[in-house]
Amino acid sequence: MFGGRAVYLDGKLMLYFSAKTEPWRGLLLCTERTHHESLLQEFPDLIPHPELGKWLYLAESKDTFEYLAQQLVALAGRRDPRIGILPKEKKRKRPSGTS
């Protein structure tokens, strides 16, 4: 997925780690927009991802990256209801020649 590492828990996509160039160098927190406000208040170094605004982003360049990444991983591990999205089901391809 986008060339990084996705973390799933209980079938939900929780976190995505990427080591590419900005804005894909850091941790993406997979969440619904309805949870952005409370997460941004709790973790002010998070921002909506510049290209994937439905998720929140913690840039690796932040001085607080390691500390906050550990907190976010722990929050996901505790199954905080604000974190995680159910992936959309993939459409099945029909075999050639069928209608």
Side-chain angles (χ1 to χ4, degrees):
M1 178 178 168
F2 307 123
R5 300 284 182 215
V7 177
Y8 289 83
L9 188 59
D10 300 330
K12 288 184 173 182
L13 177 57
M14 306 293 269
L15 305 163
Y16 177 77
F17 295 90
S18 180
K20 292 186 170 196
T21 58
E22 287 293 341
W24 297 100
R25 186 171 191 88
L27 181 148
L28 280 85
L29 186 67
C30 309
T31 185
E32 301 291 339
R33 291 182 195 266
T34 56
H35 301 301
H36 282 203
E37 186 177 342
S38 68
L39 288 163
L40 291 170
Q41 284 179 356
E42 190 172 343
F43 302 98
D45 282 345
L46 288 173
I47 61 168
H49 189 270
E51 293 182 28
L52 196 63
K54 63 183 177 180
W55 293 351
L56 298 176
Y57 178 61
L58 177 63
E60 185 183 298
S61 60
K62 290 282 188 185
D63 291 338
T64 56
F65 177 79
E66 286 187 32
Y67 174 73
L68 291 178
Q70 288 175 355
Q71 285 189 314
L72 293 168
V73 167
L75 203 62
R78 291 192 303 269
R79 290 152 173 85
D80 185 297
R82 299 173 294 175
I83 300 174
I85 60 163
L86 289 172
K88 292 181 181 176
E89 290 196 27
K90 293 181 181 179
K91 293 181 182 178
R92 289 184 167 185
K93 291 184 180 181
R94 292 184 182 178
S96 297
T98 61
S99 50

